[in-house]
Amino acid sequence: MRLKALPLGLLLLFCSSALAQDKTTPESVPRTRVTFYAMGDVPYEPEEDTLLPKQIAKLPPDAEFVVHVGDIKGGKAACDEAVYQKVSGMLSHSKAPVFIIPGDNEWNDCMNPDQAWQFWDQYFMRFDRRWRHTLPVFRQLKREENFSFVKGGVLFVGINIVGGLVHDPAEWKQRHADDLDWVRRNLRRFGNEVSSLVLFGHAKPIAAHNDFFVPFSQDAIKFQKPILYLHGDGHKWIYDRPFAAKNILRIQVDQGGIAPPLKISVTDAKTNPFLLDRRNDKPAK
């Protein structure tokens, strides 16, 4: 029996439908919005004084900015001015602008926290201004170390939240309240315009930080969009979702002495836009 030929128009329609099913459309492939690099807890040992400058020099050219999430020295090392000056000089050689978060080793765990903070303020406050860049950086008026900016439709917020000793309970509580206020202000201002939030801090979330993280988690549920909390403090890689708000991904970066700066690419993917490259032949998760 001879088959009847299909009309040309109908044949083209069938072919187009088949191609549409088999071929991934460009719109379905996540597109990178921002690429940046993060490090923390470095330099600690004397050999890391040589390692960190090498890591800075080898940062790939796709770095739009760099974040150091705190602890610029080991906990037992003295909080001498020379340490702050040394690390400031190392980070200043980055081609991309660098933002830095306070860590407990260089502040509240020091013998004289007030003097240590003066050193941090002198060498690291508004650190990104050492570069000529176009990032629209905002600072919290009452706490200038807290910053924010929007890049590629992504909201980036840095806060002063540290581990270690609670050297002043009143200061600790007030700082967490200021941090929460800063995050909320930025969510109110930019929340409807952005596709995701990246929050930088130093401390791993423990009970001593519940007065920040519990209400922040509630705010995250309302925000609904993906959030990355990126921190140091614990030295070993962690990738999990420990908060009540499951749209918050928590990453604890590797200590800088054992791994190069982490590469993070933020895409426009709806559920998990954060692509990670540890750049040390270890899996990202």
Side-chain angles (χ1 to χ4, degrees):
M1 182 176 68
R2 186 178 180 182
L3 296 175
K4 189 175 181 180
L6 290 172
L8 179 60
L10 188 59
L11 181 61
L12 289 174
L13 178 62
F14 285 157
C15 291
S16 298
S17 299
L19 286 172
Q21 292 175 358
D22 293 340
K23 185 177 180 180
T24 302
T25 61
E27 290 78 15
S28 66
V29 178
R31 293 175 295 178
T32 298
R33 293 177 174 268
V34 185
T35 297
F36 67 97
Y37 289 76
M39 65 181 74
D41 307 286
V42 65
Y44 276 15
E45 304 300 331
E47 56 268 27
E48 293 173 21
D49 287 345
T50 302
L51 176 63
L52 179 57
K54 290 180 179 179
Q55 291 178 340
I56 293 294
K58 291 181 179 179
L59 283 170
D62 61 353
E64 297 179 62
F65 63 91
V66 181
V67 176
H68 190 301
V69 291
D71 274 8
I72 61 169
K73 67 176 194 67
K76 295 181 180 180
C79 300
D80 294 333
E81 182 177 2
V83 174
Y84 304 78
Q85 186 177 31
K86 175 191 70 177
V87 179
S88 173
M90 292 176 179
L91 297 178
S92 294
H93 284 91
S94 171
K95 293 181 180 179
V98 176
F99 296 84
I100 185 165
I101 304 295
D104 54 282
N105 285 0
E106 61 267 23
W107 178 32
N108 53 298
D109 285 350
C110 294
M111 292 289 292
N112 188 338
D114 291 339
Q115 182 184 65
W117 183 253
Q118 290 177 9
F119 292 150
W120 196 95
D121 181 272
Q122 178 180 348
Y123 290 99
F124 296 113
M125 190 68 77
R126 296 177 176 267
F127 195 68
D128 65 286
R129 284 191 170 186
R130 300 188 179 208
W131 290 263
R132 297 181 64 181
H133 63 78
T134 58
L135 296 171
V137 180
F138 293 92
R139 300 275 176 179
Q140 189 175 23
L141 292 178
K142 64 168 64 175
R143 193 171 291 283
E144 290 187 83
E145 68 271 23
N146 287 357
F147 63 85
S148 71
F149 58 89
V150 174
K151 172 72 174 176
V154 181
L155 173 59
F156 296 92
V157 178
I159 58 172
N160 182 348
I161 186 166
V162 294
L165 299 175
V166 182
H167 66 278
D168 183 339
E171 184 281 331
W172 188 273
K173 182 178 181 180
Q174 183 60 56
R175 178 164 39 84
H176 288 179
D178 293 342
D179 290 342
L180 187 62
D181 179 65
W182 181 237
V183 173
R184 285 174 168 173
R185 284 178 180 270
N186 278 277
L187 286 176
R188 286 196 298 268
R189 182 168 184 176
F190 301 112
N192 292 331
E193 306 172 15
V194 299
S195 60
S196 57
L197 163 65
V198 178
L199 180 66
F200 302 114
H202 174 68
K204 55 181 177 288
I206 59 175
H209 308 107
N210 280 351
D211 55 343
F212 172 80
F213 284 111
V214 171
F216 170 64
S217 185
Q218 295 169 352
D219 293 338
I221 293 173
K222 297 176 184 176
F223 180 58
Q224 296 184 325
K225 302 172 186 179
I227 297 174
L228 169 61
Y229 175 54
L230 188 71
H231 69 90
D233 196 16
H235 303 174
K236 295 182 180 180
W237 178 261
I238 296 178
Y239 179 108
D240 65 3
R241 297 180 184 271
F243 302 103
K246 295 309 174 185
N247 57 321
I248 305 177
L249 170 64
R250 181 270 290 267
I251 292 176
Q252 178 174 274
V253 300
D254 291 297
Q255 193 267 334
I258 61 175
L262 173 69
K263 177 180 178 179
I264 304 102
S265 297
V266 187
T267 73
D268 58 2
K270 299 297 184 181
T271 55
N272 188 9
F274 309 112
L275 299 182
L276 311 169
D277 183 355
R278 295 171 72 185
R279 304 190 304 135
N280 58 1
D281 299 325
K282 294 178 181 178
K285 295 183 182 180

